[in-house]
Amino acid sequence: MKENKIKVVTYLRVGSCNSDDISRNENEMYRLIDSHKDDWDVIAQFEDLGCSGRKFERDGLSQLFERLDEVDMVVTINPAMIAKDVLVYKDIYQK
């Protein structure tokens, strides 16, 4: 086991409440985490299910922001999970 693992938090947002969509995205995230298990130390996982990527105020995303100073990297399977709108990205960056 590596001593200096990268401290990671993961973020998963699924726009629908469809259980198939949620399961598919969760499984993809677990595969990604597993493929880096020797390099990453996942210290927290956050998710927003049934939330639009155009909405800035999301519980999971807010919780992730509170932990940013503890981590080296935020992992998501698709950047659109953070935000689908350039203006939302701007708001996130400024936060």
Side-chain angles (χ1 to χ4, degrees):
M1 175 158 63
K2 280 187 167 183
E3 268 186 49
N4 297 320
K5 287 187 172 188
I6 298 168
K7 293 179 193 168
V8 170
V9 294
T10 65
Y11 180 71
L12 178 68
R13 182 195 58 77
V14 181
S16 74
C17 290
N18 179 305
S19 61
D20 290 338
D21 291 342
I22 293 168
S23 292
R24 184 176 60 252
N25 282 280
E26 286 176 338
N27 288 337
E28 190 171 344
M29 179 64 80
Y30 295 139
R31 281 193 301 273
L32 180 61
I33 292 167
D34 190 54
S35 70
H36 293 279
K37 64 184 172 198
D38 293 335
D39 302 313
W40 292 353
D41 178 15
V42 179
I43 62 170
Q45 295 180 286
F46 303 99
E47 61 182 28
D48 287 303
L49 306 178
C51 289
S52 169
R54 289 180 171 79
K55 180 180 167 189
F56 179 69
E57 296 298 326
R58 292 177 250 152
D59 292 340
L61 190 60
S62 295
Q63 293 168 9
L64 182 150
F65 286 148
E66 292 173 9
R67 305 279 304 269
L68 281 178
D69 60 344
E70 301 173 35
V71 302
D72 302 312
M73 185 168 55
V74 174
V75 174
T76 184
I77 58 174
N78 183 333
M81 290 196 175
I82 302 290
K84 286 190 171 188
D85 187 312
V86 173
L87 295 176
V88 174
Y89 269 117
K90 181 182 170 218
D91 289 343
I92 291 169
Y93 179 77
Q94 289 176 341
K95 185 172 177 153

